[in-house]
Amino acid sequence: MATSSLPLFNLTAKSSPLCFVSHIAGNKRLSGSSYTNSASLKKKNRDGGIPISVCKAVSSSTSFRYLDADDFRHPLDKQNTLILKAIPGLNEIVKALLGSISEQVMVLENIGTSVLVSENQLSELHHLMVQAAEALKIEAPDLYVRQSPVPNAYTLAINGKKPFVVVHTSLIELLTRKELQAVLAHELGHLKCDHGVWLTLANIVTVGAYTIPGIGGMIAQNLEEQLFRWLRAAELTCDRAALVVVQDPKVVISVLMKLAGGCPSLADQLNVDAFLEQARSYEKASASPVGWYIRNAQTRQLSHPLPVLRAREIDEWSRSQDYKSLMNRATSTNSLQKV
């Protein structure tokens, strides 16, 4: 999950304290999901100066003949998407608020201040993206790396133009290569599920509606809670997309843990099992009537679910029959292809 000059997605009062995957829209940013690498390979530059992080490609063994977004879409995502689509005039409002000029501003802002990843530029990052896209059966979007101390990643997809993903340098420094690929897969999940457009719509309506004289505030107030409820559900879907690609729930959970309280110097001391236990204790503490009220108050204005809740969700889905059946389908497909 942007502000005035449309740089990357900043954390706002209504954003989660994490940036797992940001989605640019209008002139406000919704913090998104981010994954980075603390165990990245180090390589000195030609002058023997400061080491530069180098990502090495991670091969993905996942292969599907066909993969539909509904194969991993979270039930809450399905439910809240239907609710949004049922809102009268939502698409028309957004089209009126979002024009080609604002889109061009957003595109040029990111292209002009980032490094475009390709086979000849940060090629190992390029391979991570291509592998994740192949696993999810989606065309790989452009990928940009942007200098920023705030760990974050986000996707831009509006008006039918080719989408692109931006990853902050601080995120790359925080995560392992496999975790970074999980972040890229999470972002691709938004594209696979057509979240890019809806995220843009939600962002534009939430911010832009306030500028409409008279009814603007009322529109925004009525839509805001539902929009953020949908955004949180969409994040759960894309965490699943990350798991489909990396095939290891501990990798996805480790990303969430590092976003909650990690830094490169402490990364090797973090414990995924302990973080999962923390998630279970939060669930238990919030089960009481008072805890339930506090939890709802804590999350209702966030664009992303709390990291401990996301960790618990991905752990449970990784143990589900739905996930196992999906992975078995991929395995049998691989066998057929080898024959």
Side-chain angles (χ1 to χ4, degrees):
M1 315 93 110
T3 71
S4 52
S5 62
L6 296 173
L8 305 178
F9 277 55
N10 291 340
L11 302 179
T12 66
K14 295 181 179 178
S15 298
S16 165
L18 309 178
C19 315
F20 187 65
V21 178
S22 306
H23 310 276
I24 245 178
N27 44 8
K28 178 182 179 182
R29 297 166 191 171
L30 301 175
S31 47
S33 41
S34 315
Y35 289 100
T36 326
N37 192 346
S38 63
S40 55
L41 297 176
K42 300 293 181 178
K43 183 178 177 182
K44 286 189 176 182
N45 61 25
R46 293 183 179 178
D47 299 323
I50 299 174
I52 301 172
S53 293
V54 178
C55 289
K56 188 175 181 180
V58 178
S59 60
S60 174
S61 60
T62 305
S63 180
F64 297 91
R65 285 185 172 178
Y66 176 77
L67 181 68
D68 188 82
D70 285 340
D71 289 333
F72 58 85
R73 196 188 300 269
H74 195 282
L76 289 176
D77 184 5
K78 296 179 183 179
Q79 174 185 329
N80 285 286
T81 297
L82 290 175
I83 293 174
L84 272 184
K85 288 182 176 180
I87 298 176
L90 180 59
N91 287 330
E92 288 70 19
I93 291 175
V94 173
K95 289 177 181 178
L97 294 173
L98 181 61
S100 59
I101 294 179
S102 60
E103 178 184 51
Q104 189 173 8
V105 169
M106 288 184 277
V107 172
L108 291 177
E109 166 68 22
N110 286 282
I111 292 178
T113 59
S114 308
V115 173
L116 176 61
V117 174
S118 68
E119 292 183 355
N120 301 318
Q121 180 74 277
L122 301 175
S123 60
E124 291 172 340
L125 280 176
H126 173 74
H127 293 320
L128 290 178
M129 172 62 87
V130 170
Q131 289 166 357
E134 289 177 350
L136 292 174
K137 297 300 181 184
I138 187 174
E139 181 181 356
D142 287 338
L143 174 62
Y144 291 88
V145 172
R146 182 166 185 166
Q147 188 69 239
S148 174
V150 179
N152 199 8
Y154 63 86
T155 301
L156 174 66
I158 51 179
N159 273 5
K161 299 294 180 65
K162 184 176 181 180
F164 62 81
V165 173
V166 178
V167 178
H168 290 186
T169 52
S170 56
L171 184 61
I172 296 173
E173 288 297 316
L174 180 62
L175 304 181
T176 66
R177 298 186 300 278
K178 196 73 171 179
E179 290 166 352
L180 182 56
Q181 187 170 60
V183 171
L184 296 176
H186 176 106
E187 296 297 332
L188 290 173
H190 286 291
L191 298 176
K192 178 76 175 180
C193 297
D194 291 326
H195 286 166
V197 173
W198 281 101
L199 285 163
T200 300
L201 300 185
N203 206 0
I204 290 296
V205 171
T206 302
V207 180
Y210 282 112
T211 66
I212 300 175
I215 64 171
M218 182 179 65
I219 293 175
Q221 183 177 2
N222 291 338
L223 287 178
E224 187 173 0
E225 186 173 344
Q226 181 56 49
L227 290 170
F228 279 107
R229 186 181 295 118
W230 175 82
L231 289 170
R232 292 192 297 271
E235 291 304 307
L236 297 179
T237 288
C238 294
D239 287 347
R240 290 182 172 191
L243 180 57
V244 168
V245 172
V246 300
Q247 303 172 53
D248 185 348
K250 287 193 173 184
V251 172
V252 181
I253 294 169
S254 179
V255 172
L256 297 168
M257 176 179 61
K258 289 180 177 180
L259 289 171
C263 63
S265 63
L266 297 177
D268 60 348
Q269 301 178 48
L270 292 170
N271 186 311
V272 168
D273 292 327
F275 190 67
L276 273 176
E277 185 57 38
Q278 177 183 336
R280 296 184 188 104
S281 67
Y282 180 87
E283 186 72 14
K284 183 177 180 180
S286 61
S288 68
V290 174
W292 178 87
Y293 176 82
I294 295 173
R295 171 175 165 174
N296 282 343
Q298 189 177 21
T299 61
R300 65 185 300 176
Q301 293 299 309
L302 298 179
S303 62
H304 288 59
L306 296 173
V308 290
L309 297 180
R310 293 171 70 181
R312 186 210 62 191
E313 282 278 347
I314 206 64
D315 179 58
E316 290 182 353
W317 192 61
S318 71
R319 303 170 188 273
S320 71
Q321 189 57 48
D322 285 345
Y323 173 72
K324 292 176 182 177
S325 297
L326 183 59
M327 289 300 100
N328 287 338
R329 200 178 88 193
T331 301
S332 61
T333 299
N334 286 341
S335 300
L336 289 172
Q337 288 178 335
K338 289 177 181 178
V339 174

